[in-house]
Amino acid sequence: MPAVDKLLLEEALQDSPQTRSLLSVFEEDAGTLTDYTNQLLQAMQRVYGAQNEMCLATQQLSKQLLAYEKQNFALGKGDEEVITTLHYFSKVVDELNLLHTELTKQLADTMVLPIIQFREKDLTEVSTLKDLFGLASTEHDLSMAKYSRLPKKKENEKVKSEVAKEVAAARRKQHLSSLQYYCALNALQYRKRIAMMEPMLGYAQGQINFFKKGAEMFSKRMDSLLSDTRTMVQSIQEESEAEVEKMQLSQQELLSVDESVYTPDFDVAAPAVNRNLIQKAGYLNLRNKTGLVTTTWERLYFFTQGGNLMCQPRGAVAGGLIQDLDNCSVMAVDCEDRRYCFQITTPTGKPGITLQAESKKENEEWICAINNISRQIYLTDNPEAVAIKLNQTALQAVTPITSFGKKQDPSRPSQNRKHSGSENDKMVPNTPAKVSDADQLIVPGTPIQFDIVLPATEFLDQNRSGRRTNPFGESADEKQPDEEDSLLQQMFIVRFLGSMAVKTDSTSEVIYEAMRQVLAARAIHNIFRMTESHLMVTSKTLRLIDPQTQVTRASFELTSVTQFAAHQENKRLVGFIVRVPESAGEESLSAYVFESNTEGEKICYAISLGKEIIEAQKDPEALAQLMLSMPLTSNGKFVLLNDQPDSEDGNPNESKGAESEA
């Protein structure tokens, strides 16, 4: 027999959304089984009713055959042979009626009764345990909410102890009900197989007995099949009994755990905190504002995934994004006289979400984990080592304070450094290349520029004498001439990492070397801030556009882009080389490195297509062939499919953040 899916009893206590999601699958299976069982029972009752009707019909037929003799036919002479024959047939029908009566009784006992017992016993038990589990879960949630509302300033040990005992009792009750519910659902996977085959076994056996007594119409092969089916049912029964015994032992073992498993904040005096976590998951209370001064707290399941904080409510199939942890800061706070609260602040300094853990250990581990995740740098081979190195910084974040202004994140530059770091001429010398081949691509010690242009806000501040800004956030910029005439318009969301002068553009290796040196320089000099832009690829230019103001930050002629490539391992890194003429008649080469929200190969494909269009425009026939080979929009522009991730709609005004940090 194939393996049977089971709910793990060990995960009943944690009651995670993943377990609840798997439980919903079992519940859906039980609901489907209940509906199918009712339909199957109706079909079997119809068969039983038809067989019972067959008994009554054959009995009435026998009487009608005998009644032929008593009929006063006006032309009844010569009916003696008919009457004798009908008497014989009446006896045959009476014998068949006895067989039909016996078959009806067998169908009632071996086909209809087992399916009724399965519905009334097993399915009803699962439904009852489901209700008890729901009540226990609700009671546990209420007790946890009561425990979470315990005051911190006016702490009453007696009240705290009573509430903690109430939580422990509710949690134990929920654990017991969930174990019983899980065991019933697991056992149902075996019982449903027996319940489906046992009635049909009784039906087939009754039919065979009926036909054997009436006539030898069945072969020995049918007997062998029935024997094999009976053996299989017996094997499943034995396996079911062994599994039930195993689950009972496991249930007793899981219920024999220490009381500390059920009691929150059991080791408050000296919790064993792991400060080097890179991932974390568990239940937290989320603070929600319901008015100007009113708030509510909601207990949800949170987990980290990459650089994001995710939230998954009960019953949800997957989690949703709550907060991008990239370069966020986190610290413990006092909030509404609740214990173990901490707040996440965005890279711009704006307060984010406020969360509450159920114990001191959970509180400190969440703070340390988020602190470690928010400060990870790109291309880190050993994140655990980075977490240990940043452990001292994480310890400073677990001291409760009442204001974010009292604590400055040591990894974040001061306000003066932030303004000075956004200037156009910000240069950081890079370390020399480690291999001699790199010297042929980039001159050792070449300075690296980390800001391609002034941020859009500073650009507008310096040009306030120009056009006014629409206060409703609408952009009144006219389309660029090259956009109107361009056969290709493709937008990508990118973040500028750095640029530097290079010696050659004959190979893509120079781009890979520039990527390595730019990322290494950012890591060495702790430069994590990046400016987000919209890269518009047309058949004439590459333009970097500010996502908020639609101001063009930089523009490159597509004919001046001589080399472009995506990183071979980190698919989101992309770079290109631009050849710029100098005043003395010479030309300089500069490599620009970006990180994209999509695969860098798609940007390279768009640039390549733009160059093909430029070449094809020289020959009308080649241009026509190119347009026939590519999908076009209604206005005759080239279409690139699947160019953005699913979360992006292609509307530049929907991108809220102008800057992010590595």
Side-chain angles (χ1 to χ4, degrees):
M1 288 295 296
V4 178
D5 295 328
K6 296 185 296 183
L7 285 166
L8 298 180
L9 301 182
E10 293 81 3
E11 297 179 358
L13 178 59
Q14 185 181 5
D15 195 25
S16 65
Q18 289 82 358
T19 305
R20 284 295 183 108
S21 179
L22 181 60
L23 176 62
S24 66
V25 176
F26 278 75
E27 291 176 343
E28 181 181 359
D29 184 82
T32 304
L33 179 61
T34 301
D35 296 337
Y36 175 77
T37 301
N38 292 331
Q39 297 174 5
L40 181 63
L41 178 59
Q42 292 178 0
M44 291 182 175
Q45 288 176 338
R46 186 176 180 181
V47 171
Y48 169 75
Q51 183 60 42
N52 191 39
E53 181 66 20
M54 188 68 175
C55 294
L56 298 177
T58 52
Q59 185 178 3
Q60 185 180 2
L61 176 61
S62 177
K63 292 180 180 181
Q64 287 298 116
L65 293 177
L66 293 176
Y68 184 84
E69 183 181 4
K70 300 177 182 180
Q71 302 300 318
N72 296 320
F73 293 104
L75 302 174
K77 296 181 180 179
D79 286 345
E80 290 78 7
E81 295 182 358
V82 174
I83 293 174
T84 303
T85 304
L86 291 180
H87 273 258
Y88 177 78
F89 278 119
S90 176
K91 292 180 181 180
V92 173
V93 172
D94 285 336
E95 293 176 358
L96 290 175
N97 182 58
L98 293 177
L99 295 180
H100 280 294
T101 303
E102 183 179 356
L103 176 59
T104 302
K105 184 179 180 180
Q106 289 182 355
L107 292 180
D109 295 338
T110 61
M111 183 180 70
V112 180
L113 183 60
I115 199 70
I116 293 178
Q117 291 177 343
F118 171 72
R119 185 184 66 173
E120 300 298 329
K121 179 182 177 181
D122 298 90
L123 296 180
T124 303
E125 178 186 8
V126 170
S127 178
T128 303
L129 291 176
K130 178 182 180 180
D131 295 337
L132 294 176
F133 173 70
L135 293 175
S137 298
T138 303
E139 182 179 351
H140 174 254
D141 292 340
L142 293 176
S143 62
M144 278 303 307
K146 183 177 180 181
Y147 176 81
S148 300
R149 291 194 299 269
L150 287 175
K152 178 180 179 182
K153 294 180 179 179
K154 298 179 180 180
E155 188 173 59
N156 189 325
E157 291 297 328
K158 182 178 179 181
V159 174
K160 177 184 175 183
S161 177
E162 292 177 355
V163 175
K165 290 181 180 179
E166 182 179 348
V167 171
R171 188 168 289 176
R172 184 179 184 86
K173 182 178 179 180
Q174 183 194 20
H175 191 198
L176 176 60
S177 62
S178 62
L179 288 175
Q180 293 175 346
Y181 187 33
Y182 289 4
C183 290
L185 288 175
N186 289 340
L188 186 63
Q189 299 303 308
Y190 295 93
R191 284 294 306 152
K192 75 176 181 181
R193 298 186 178 188
I194 298 175
M196 296 301 105
M197 290 186 291
E198 189 175 10
M200 296 311 302
L201 182 63
Y203 171 80
Q205 188 64 52
Q207 293 289 351
I208 289 177
N209 293 336
F210 172 79
F211 286 112
K212 275 188 175 181
K213 293 179 180 180
E216 293 296 333
M217 299 176 63
F218 288 87
S219 62
K220 295 182 179 180
R221 186 168 55 183
M222 191 66 184
D223 295 335
S224 175
L225 176 61
L226 293 177
S227 177
D228 295 340
T229 305
R230 190 179 297 105
T231 302
M232 182 177 62
V233 172
Q234 184 178 1
S235 174
I236 296 176
Q237 184 68 31
E238 294 175 355
E239 186 179 353
S240 174
E241 293 175 356
E243 185 64 27
V244 169
E245 182 179 358
K246 182 180 178 181
M247 288 190 295
Q248 290 176 349
L249 295 176
S250 179
Q251 179 178 348
Q252 295 176 0
E253 181 181 353
L254 293 173
L255 289 175
S256 63
V257 296
D258 190 75
E259 195 68 19
S260 61
V261 177
Y262 302 101
T263 306
D265 212 10
F266 183 81
D267 52 350
V268 64
V273 180
N274 184 359
R275 304 185 184 278
N276 302 324
L277 294 174
I278 302 300
Q279 295 179 341
K280 182 67 177 173
Y283 280 98
L284 295 171
N285 290 333
L286 173 64
R287 181 173 181 263
N288 297 315
K289 287 188 177 181
T290 56
L292 294 177
V293 294
T294 58
T295 59
T296 59
W297 294 81
E298 184 179 7
R299 189 167 183 262
L300 300 170
Y301 188 83
F302 290 84
F303 61 95
T304 60
Q305 188 176 72
N308 299 322
L309 178 63
M310 313 291 288
C311 175
Q312 185 174 359
R314 287 182 179 178
V317 179
L321 176 64
I322 291 295
Q323 180 74 50
D324 183 0
L325 299 179
D326 220 7
N327 292 303
C328 288
S329 61
V330 58
M331 60 185 67
V333 294
D334 290 332
C335 185
E336 299 180 6
D337 198 23
R338 286 188 174 231
R339 300 175 302 165
Y340 312 134
C341 294
F342 59 94
Q343 189 174 51
I344 301 174
T345 306
T346 63
T348 60
K350 182 180 179 181
I353 59 175
T354 301
L355 302 168
Q356 180 191 19
E358 71 173 34
S359 65
K360 182 178 180 181
K361 175 184 176 182
E362 287 291 307
N363 183 44
E364 295 190 9
E365 285 189 349
W366 270 107
I367 291 176
C368 293
I370 295 175
N371 199 39
N372 292 337
I373 294 172
S374 67
R375 286 167 174 78
Q376 286 193 40
I377 60 176
Y378 288 93
L379 300 182
T380 300
D381 296 330
N382 191 352
E384 294 289 342
V386 176
I388 296 175
K389 182 178 179 181
L390 297 177
N391 185 25
Q392 201 65 28
T393 303
L395 287 175
Q396 299 176 4
V398 298
T399 303
I401 61 176
T402 58
S403 174
F404 286 102
K406 298 179 182 179
K407 184 177 181 68
Q408 181 178 357
D409 192 344
S411 67
R412 199 178 304 280
S414 64
Q415 189 69 17
N416 294 333
R417 290 179 56 193
K418 180 176 181 180
H419 285 295
S420 64
S422 62
E423 296 296 328
N424 284 344
D425 57 351
K426 177 179 179 181
M427 300 291 183
V428 178
N430 187 29
T431 55
K434 296 183 179 181
V435 293
S436 59
D437 293 342
D439 297 345
Q440 305 298 325
L441 306 176
I442 301 175
V443 177
T446 299
I448 299 176
Q449 181 172 321
F450 296 107
D451 284 328
I452 189 168
V453 290
L454 286 174
T457 54
E458 299 181 17
F459 177 85
L460 293 178
D461 289 340
Q462 297 178 9
N463 296 274
R464 291 195 180 275
S465 59
R467 43 167 290 182
R468 296 177 56 189
T469 319
N470 193 318
F472 298 99
E474 300 176 355
S475 176
D477 287 348
E478 297 295 334
K479 285 190 175 182
Q480 297 292 330
D482 62 322
E483 286 189 16
E484 297 177 355
D485 300 335
S486 176
L487 294 177
L488 171 67
Q489 290 183 22
Q490 197 67 30
M491 190 272 288
F492 302 91
I493 298 177
V494 297
R495 286 168 291 279
F496 179 68
L497 297 178
S499 64
M500 60 190 307
V502 297
K503 298 174 62 176
T504 179
D505 59 354
S506 60
T507 174
S508 59
E509 294 296 329
V510 66
I511 298 179
Y512 302 145
E513 179 62 22
M515 291 178 179
R516 186 192 68 79
Q517 293 194 20
V518 167
L519 293 175
R522 279 182 168 268
I524 293 172
H525 298 285
N526 294 326
I527 301 174
F528 302 139
R529 190 169 67 98
M530 296 185 297
T531 302
E532 186 173 280
S533 303
H534 288 169
L535 177 62
M536 178 66 73
V537 181
T538 70
S539 59
K540 296 182 179 181
T541 60
L542 297 181
R543 295 174 55 218
L544 288 174
I545 304 173
D546 182 87
Q548 290 182 326
T549 65
Q550 302 303 302
V551 174
T552 300
R553 290 173 169 165
S555 179
F556 308 99
E557 293 292 333
L558 198 60
T559 54
S560 65
V561 178
T562 58
Q563 191 71 249
F564 49 91
H567 197 277
Q568 296 175 338
E569 296 180 359
N570 190 343
K571 303 298 184 181
R572 296 171 61 185
L573 292 181
V574 64
F576 56 82
I577 299 177
V578 177
R579 183 180 294 270
V580 180
E582 299 292 343
S583 58
E586 299 179 355
E587 292 181 331
S588 63
L589 299 175
S590 296
Y592 293 83
V593 181
F594 297 86
E595 181 197 36
S596 171
N597 279 10
T598 184
E599 294 182 2
E601 290 291 344
K602 296 182 179 180
I603 298 179
C604 293
Y605 176 74
I607 297 175
S608 176
L609 180 58
K611 285 183 167 293
E612 288 185 20
I613 294 174
I614 293 176
E615 293 298 326
Q617 285 177 336
K618 301 176 182 178
D619 184 0
E621 294 183 0
L623 180 60
Q625 290 295 331
L626 181 60
M627 297 182 70
L628 289 175
S629 63
M630 295 289 292
L632 302 177
T633 62
S634 59
N635 57 354
K637 298 182 182 296
F638 286 89
V639 178
L640 298 183
L641 302 179
N642 300 326
D643 57 325
Q644 293 292 335
D646 294 339
S647 62
E648 299 294 332
D649 295 330
N651 187 354
N653 294 328
E654 294 181 0
S655 179
K656 300 294 184 184
E659 293 184 353
S660 62
E661 298 183 7

